[in-house]
Amino acid sequence: MLFRSAPDFKIFGDTALDDAYWSRPAGELMSELTTTAEGLSSIEAKKRLAAVGRNSFSEASGTSAIATLARQFRSPLVLILVFAAGASAAVGEGHESIIITAIVLASCLLSFTQEYGASKAVQALREVVAHKATVMRDGEEISVSASEIVPGDVLHLSAGNLIPADGIILEARDFNVSESALTGETFPAVKSPGISDVAAGLAARSNSVFTGTSVRSGTATVLVVRTGRRTEFASIAAVIERRIPETEFARGIRRFGYLMTEIMLAIVILVLVANLLLHRPLIDSLLFSLALAVGLTPELLPAIISVTLARGARAMAKAGVVVRRLDAIENLGSMDLLCTDKTGTLTEGVIHLDGCLDAEGKASQQVAVWARLNATLQTGLKNPLDESIASAEDATDCLAHYVKVDEIPYDFIRKRLSVIVRESETSGNLVVCKGAVQNVLEVCTSILVSNSSQSIDARIRADIETRFKTWSGQGYRVLGLAIRRLSPDRACTRQDETDLCFAGFLLFLDPPKQGMAETLASLASRGIGIKVITGDNRYVAAHLAESIGLAKKRVITGQQLARMTKNALFAVASKTDLFVEIDPNQKERIVEALQSRGHVVGYLGDGINDAPALHAADVGISVNSAVDVAREAADIILLERDLGVLGRGVDDGRKTFANTMKYISITTSANFGNMVSMALASLFLPFLPLLAKQILLNNFLSDLPSLAISTDNVDEDQTRMPRHWDIAFIRRFMLTFGLVSSFFDFMTFGFLIFVAHATAQTFQTAWFIESLITELAIVLVVRTRKAFWQSRPSALLVWLTAGTFLVAVATPILPYAAWFGFVPLPLPIMAGLVAITIMYLIASEATKHLVLLWHTRFLHARRGKSTHQLSTRPETGYRTVCCA
């Protein structure tokens, strides 16, 4: 076998002359790309990959360490603080400037190591579900990573494939491509071999396919011309960044950032102006004001979120749940409705062919033969029904007697698949059509009874419908099979799928999974309801629902849904148990209707027709064996199709959210109170309560235990129900605990000034220790809703907290004490600080229970109001809102 190889093959897209490759003959392009219809050799493919780079939009796969490090210095506070430290050095305060700069750099490096390590861990998880493509290499059809495709490769595409590169079509059969990602056109474009006009736009290039689009139906062989950054998708993405809808989690982080920015700016401006009016030195006042802002800001929040989400992703991966988008972890934990198909999720997914029956309902070997021909000779969309037919033990192996002539691939509009064959000893062609009973019956004009055909009348149609309902009510998936004989001298088209003769039925059985009723009960205990959305008929769906304990009273069919207005669907969607006989385009409407009622909706699907719904859902869930389009549209990939696995993933998502909220609660409670206290004290004391370098050191040390938040244990009560952001509660939480903290801060100030008669250095040392150990103490209080002694922290959190506490107490006698202006403290002062800390701990514990009690009553009151609104305003929804 001959493979063409040349190190100087043509790379299209580098010059203006090459841009119109779609207007040139396929043979000419193959010659310039030095390839053949049998593809490249493996050696040549490796050479080209080294020459043109990987088939991706970025220069390198994964996350750049330099980019991650640079991101740590984007904070305006960090940049201003470094600038102010430089100004301090310029006026002779070089020692202090070095210390401040060193602390800032240490904080940035600490954040970098956490965030970069998390990103690498997530990248490794994503590679588990990397996109694959089928190419010709060494004359054989193999599966390779889409990133390894190079110009000159020959791709084989079929329904469900995500197109990984730009190219021209060499061969095609009923090939329809969804190009909405590029052109915005809703309906699929028909593609075929040929030549397009040199000036043709994207939508008019009927002989070309493009990266990022997907195959809706049919099959094709494609010559790859452009990859990576040379593709049309990459050029468009470079101008207009493709934005993914903002998740509720990301929206909450953004709103929290706005809140903290407002508070920070107010403190900086007020403190700076006040200190200047008191004729304090400009540099000292500026550094103090900025240090207060840094102390208030949860600057480790990005790293904490990254680490916490990455740890959650790793925990979920061990349970068989791979996260493609980290933000989706929180949405998975917030999910209160799961929409799912039944096959393979609620059922075993191993479909058995239980009967091949003729039109009268009797077992028929001839129907089994025709079904086997149709299932084994079709080359389009692979499906478990065809696999069960092909593997059926009672089907006679008769393929040797037939030659395939043509096929009419399956699509989701016709819901039929036809194969045209010719028996070797006869001269006629035979059309064998298989599909949904109603869709097959609508193109039949006769029925095969006792080897003779007769016209179909109303009575016969009623008999067929009765059999169909009876079998469906027993849990069978029923397909219809029809035939038609054609003369051998005519070409076969979709128009030949008419005037068929109804030949019989195929009965498939897919029993419910063992323990499914218990699994659904477990999801219900987590506050997650199940909505079944299926293309199967109402009788099969109702039988399954009854067998696994799902409600089945309220059912909507696709036909009924098609007649509903948008508002009508919004009104009934959340009350409906089963959506049956649903067309692919209706799934997205159902998801949006449920979202309009305030639900966080998860959608589980694995087919081409599931992609729009997966993208529309708050969290799209697919399986590793799904078609490319579904996998790429999903946020979460299940390595096995099991709702039990998904339930464990939900728990991990809720734990991740709970730990993220712990850090926010800790920083907004202790930090806010301490910084406000220092800001006010600076206006009345003859000296600064803490120097800028002391504030930064305090902030750096108090953040160390927070690095262990991602490992912390989460109480069971925080994973029982869906949880959401509540900025109003965070604000109240911050103000309430801030006031408690400030009260004890001023108690400490009074003790140091009026009882201990502390000097400036003694005051600063004592206040540094006091503020640091109270911040450590509050970690233990706010991390749980229980009494802090009833909830066990993780070992790492305990050790880091204990270690930081020892450093705080020993600070006055450590070698670096003089650099920061610390002095040893007398024993009476240390005893007083311990006593105040214990009182603060008790007061904070009591405050926590009062705040949570008040918040619970507020939620109950709002729930009653929202319930009333739901009954009068269909567009208004309600979500349960919780916060750590």
Side-chain angles (χ1 to χ4, degrees):
M1 192 167 292
L2 176 64
F3 301 98
R4 301 186 64 179
S5 176
D8 56 347
F9 68 94
K10 190 73 169 178
I11 302 177
F12 286 85
D14 288 342
T15 68
L17 181 63
D18 297 329
D19 286 345
Y21 65 85
W22 55 87
S23 64
R24 301 170 63 185
E28 182 179 324
L29 290 175
M30 293 181 76
S31 178
E32 291 195 22
L33 287 166
T34 60
T35 189
T36 69
E38 295 178 339
L40 302 171
S41 67
S42 299
I43 296 175
E44 177 62 17
K46 290 180 180 179
K47 290 180 180 178
R48 297 191 182 195
L49 185 63
V52 303
R54 300 182 73 81
N55 182 30
S56 63
F57 298 150
S58 58
E59 290 291 350
S61 60
T63 303
S64 167
I66 296 177
T68 305
L69 180 61
R71 191 160 55 245
Q72 313 308 317
F73 294 91
R74 289 180 185 173
S75 168
L77 277 178
V78 171
L79 296 176
I80 293 174
L81 199 56
V82 172
F83 172 78
S88 179
V91 296
E93 297 291 339
H95 182 72
E96 182 168 319
S97 174
I98 292 173
I99 293 175
I100 293 174
T101 303
I103 294 176
V104 171
L105 290 175
S107 295
C108 290
L109 289 174
L110 185 65
S111 180
F112 160 74
T113 56
Q114 297 295 313
E115 188 172 344
Y116 182 67
S119 68
K120 296 302 289 183
V122 172
Q123 182 65 27
L125 292 177
R126 286 176 179 165
E127 291 176 359
V128 175
V129 291
H131 177 205
K132 301 288 186 180
T134 301
V135 301
M136 295 295 294
R137 294 275 173 88
D138 300 317
E140 296 181 358
E141 188 178 278
I142 65 170
S143 177
V144 301
S145 171
S147 63
E148 297 177 4
I149 292 173
V150 295
D153 264 328
V154 175
L155 293 175
H156 286 176
L157 299 173
S158 60
N161 287 161
L162 192 70
I163 298 174
D166 291 3
I168 63 163
I169 297 172
L170 302 178
E171 298 176 6
R173 177 65 179 174
D174 290 325
F175 192 57
N176 295 312
V177 177
S178 175
E179 296 184 329
S180 58
L182 285 181
T183 66
E185 178 58 50
T186 303
F187 298 100
V190 179
K191 300 286 185 175
S192 60
I195 296 176
S196 297
D197 186 77
V198 67
L202 289 178
R205 299 176 198 170
S206 61
N207 68 329
S208 304
V209 294
F210 309 104
T211 302
T213 60
S214 59
V215 183
R216 184 70 176 175
S217 64
T219 58
T221 301
V222 169
L223 172 66
V224 175
V225 179
R226 293 179 181 171
T227 60
R229 291 190 167 189
R230 299 180 181 86
T231 62
E232 297 289 349
F233 190 88
S235 63
I236 292 175
V239 179
I240 304 175
E241 182 181 359
R242 190 186 184 198
R243 297 188 63 84
I244 297 173
E246 186 179 42
T247 65
E248 186 187 44
F249 183 73
R251 187 162 51 250
I253 291 292
R254 175 171 52 80
R255 293 175 61 195
F256 174 71
Y258 291 158
L259 172 66
M260 299 307 295
T261 300
E262 292 170 1
I263 296 172
M264 176 190 69
L265 289 175
I267 288 179
V268 168
I269 294 172
L270 290 175
V271 171
L272 178 60
V273 171
N275 275 273
L276 292 178
L277 291 176
L278 293 172
H279 305 291
R280 304 262 173 84
L282 173 61
I283 293 297
D284 288 348
S285 299
L286 177 62
L287 285 174
F288 177 73
S289 301
L290 290 175
L292 283 179
V294 172
L296 177 63
T297 304
E299 71 278 1
L300 281 185
L301 182 60
I304 295 295
I305 290 175
S306 296
V307 172
T308 305
L309 293 178
R311 182 179 177 84
R314 287 195 296 269
M316 292 167 69
K318 292 178 181 177
V321 182
V322 176
V323 179
R324 295 186 68 250
R325 286 178 54 205
L326 283 183
D327 286 353
I329 292 179
E330 191 279 335
N331 273 4
L332 183 62
S334 303
M335 178 178 68
D336 58 9
L337 272 184
L338 174 64
C339 298
T340 177
D341 193 1
K342 67 178 190 63
T343 304
T345 305
L346 306 178
T347 64
E348 291 290 349
V350 181
I351 299 176
H352 305 282
L353 178 62
D354 205 60
C356 298
L357 311 178
D358 62 19
E360 297 177 289
K362 301 175 183 177
S364 170
Q365 189 60 45
Q366 184 60 67
V367 171
V369 170
W370 288 332
R372 191 172 178 84
L373 285 170
N374 180 284
T376 56
L377 295 181
Q378 71 97 6
T379 58
L381 183 65
K382 294 180 174 61
N383 64 85
L385 297 177
D386 285 340
E387 292 173 359
S388 67
I389 294 172
S391 61
E393 296 179 358
D394 58 345
T396 304
D397 188 4
C398 57
L399 300 185
H401 302 292
Y402 290 88
V403 175
K404 179 181 176 181
V405 175
D406 210 340
E407 72 176 287
I408 306 173
Y410 180 89
D411 64 55
F412 293 96
I413 305 300
R414 294 164 37 251
K415 293 187 177 180
R416 297 186 299 267
L417 165 66
S418 293
V419 171
I420 299 90
V421 297
R422 181 182 303 163
E423 196 167 2
S424 56
E425 55 218 32
T426 66
S427 58
N429 290 342
L430 178 67
V431 178
V432 181
C433 177
K434 174 181 97 275
V437 172
Q438 293 296 332
N439 296 70
V440 171
L441 193 58
E442 71 184 14
V443 291
C444 290
T445 56
S446 61
I447 185 171
L448 189 64
V449 180
S450 300
N451 293 324
S452 63
S453 64
Q454 61 184 73
S455 298
I456 294 179
D457 56 21
R459 181 186 60 80
I460 291 175
R461 288 185 182 274
D463 288 343
I464 292 175
E465 182 69 20
T466 299
R467 292 190 180 98
F468 171 71
K469 289 182 179 180
T470 301
W471 289 324
S472 297
Q474 296 170 355
Y476 286 103
R477 172 82 176 271
V478 185
L479 296 186
L481 188 137
I483 61 170
R484 180 185 178 185
R485 298 194 181 275
L486 300 173
S487 60
D489 56 348
R490 57 178 290 181
C492 298
T493 65
R494 291 195 181 203
Q495 285 66 41
D496 292 314
E497 248 185 13
T498 56
D499 297 326
L500 302 184
C501 180
F502 192 85
F505 306 90
L506 304 175
L507 273 59
F508 301 87
L509 194 59
D510 185 14
K513 284 186 176 178
Q514 291 292 325
M516 181 50 61
E518 291 77 9
T519 300
L520 295 178
S522 175
L523 289 175
S525 69
R526 293 176 170 91
I528 300 173
I530 301 292
K531 302 287 185 184
V532 178
I533 304 178
T534 178
D536 279 357
N537 66 74
R538 69 199 77 180
Y539 312 109
V540 173
H543 179 272
L544 174 68
E546 183 178 17
S547 65
I548 59 177
L550 282 178
K552 62 169 185 174
K553 292 182 179 179
R554 291 161 292 190
V555 180
I556 288 181
T557 66
Q559 191 174 19
Q560 293 171 328
L561 194 150
R563 295 194 298 266
M564 287 184 180
T565 64
K566 185 176 182 180
N567 287 336
L569 179 59
F570 285 1
V572 302
S574 60
K575 303 174 184 177
T576 302
D577 301 315
L578 306 176
F579 297 89
V580 299
E581 301 166 25
I582 296 298
D583 289 334
N585 295 332
Q586 295 176 327
K587 295 183 178 182
E588 185 176 9
R589 286 188 63 194
I590 295 170
V591 169
E592 291 173 346
L594 294 170
Q595 289 172 322
S596 74
R597 305 297 288 177
H599 294 291
V600 177
V601 181
Y603 184 89
L604 174 58
D606 64 353
I608 312 167
N609 52 331
D610 292 315
L614 284 166
H615 190 266
D618 294 285
V619 53
I621 308 164
S622 193
V623 292
N624 202 26
S625 58
V627 297
D628 296 341
V629 181
R631 280 161 36 108
E632 289 299 311
D635 307 303
I636 304 288
I637 302 293
L638 304 183
L639 297 184
E640 54 181 292
R641 192 161 186 165
D642 183 358
L643 287 185
V645 170
L646 183 61
R648 293 190 292 274
V650 168
D651 289 342
D652 288 328
R654 292 177 182 177
K655 290 176 182 177
T656 299
F657 178 73
N659 281 336
T660 302
M661 296 308 299
K662 285 178 187 179
Y663 176 73
I664 291 175
S665 299
I666 291 165
T667 56
T668 55
S669 55
N671 287 11
F672 177 74
N674 286 344
M675 297 305 117
V676 170
S677 299
M678 279 193 285
L680 293 176
S682 68
L683 304 180
F684 302 102
L685 293 174
F687 50 84
L688 291 175
L690 280 183
L691 302 177
K693 57 188 176 183
Q694 294 170 343
I695 296 175
L696 294 176
L697 179 62
N698 181 297
N699 190 54
F700 177 74
L701 292 175
S702 65
D703 273 336
L704 289 178
S706 297
L707 298 177
I709 287 293
S710 64
T711 70
D712 193 24
N713 301 320
V714 176
D715 297 335
E716 185 179 348
D717 65 309
Q718 297 188 52
T719 62
R720 286 176 184 165
M721 299 298 291
R723 301 165 58 78
H724 307 274
W725 276 88
D726 186 352
I727 294 299
F729 175 74
I730 292 175
R731 187 185 297 111
R732 291 192 297 270
F733 188 91
M734 179 174 64
L735 291 175
T736 303
F737 274 85
L739 289 174
V740 172
S741 177
S742 293
F743 174 80
F744 284 93
D745 290 341
F746 285 110
M747 181 185 295
T748 304
F749 296 160
F751 166 72
L752 293 174
I753 296 296
F754 299 111
V755 177
H757 304 291
T759 63
Q761 281 191 312
T762 301
F763 183 98
Q764 290 166 348
T765 303
W767 171 231
F768 174 88
I769 295 174
E770 171 69 9
S771 62
L772 183 54
I773 60 178
T774 54
E775 287 186 59
L776 298 176
I778 204 67
V779 171
L780 302 177
V781 173
V782 303
R783 59 166 294 276
T784 177
R785 294 183 168 206
K786 301 177 180 179
F788 72 87
W789 59 85
Q790 294 177 334
S791 177
R792 183 172 59 86
S794 69
L796 183 59
L797 180 60
V798 170
W799 283 110
L800 281 178
T801 301
T804 307
F805 174 81
L806 292 176
V807 171
V809 174
T811 288
I813 59 174
L814 292 176
Y816 62 79
W819 303 347
F820 288 90
F822 294 136
V823 295
L825 295 179
L827 188 60
I829 291 182
M830 288 297 297
L833 296 180
V834 171
I836 293 173
T837 300
I838 293 174
M839 288 188 287
Y840 171 69
L841 195 61
I842 296 172
S844 296
E845 180 67 29
T847 301
K848 177 183 70 176
H849 290 288
L850 290 174
V851 168
L852 292 177
L853 177 62
W854 179 87
H855 186 59
T856 301
R857 291 177 177 175
F858 170 77
L859 286 180
H860 284 311
R862 194 170 76 170
R863 178 175 301 178
K865 181 180 178 181
S866 296
T867 302
H868 172 70
Q869 289 177 337
L870 281 173
S871 64
T872 56
R873 296 178 56 197
E875 73 276 11
T876 304
Y878 174 72
R879 293 182 180 180
T880 302
V881 182
C882 307
C883 184

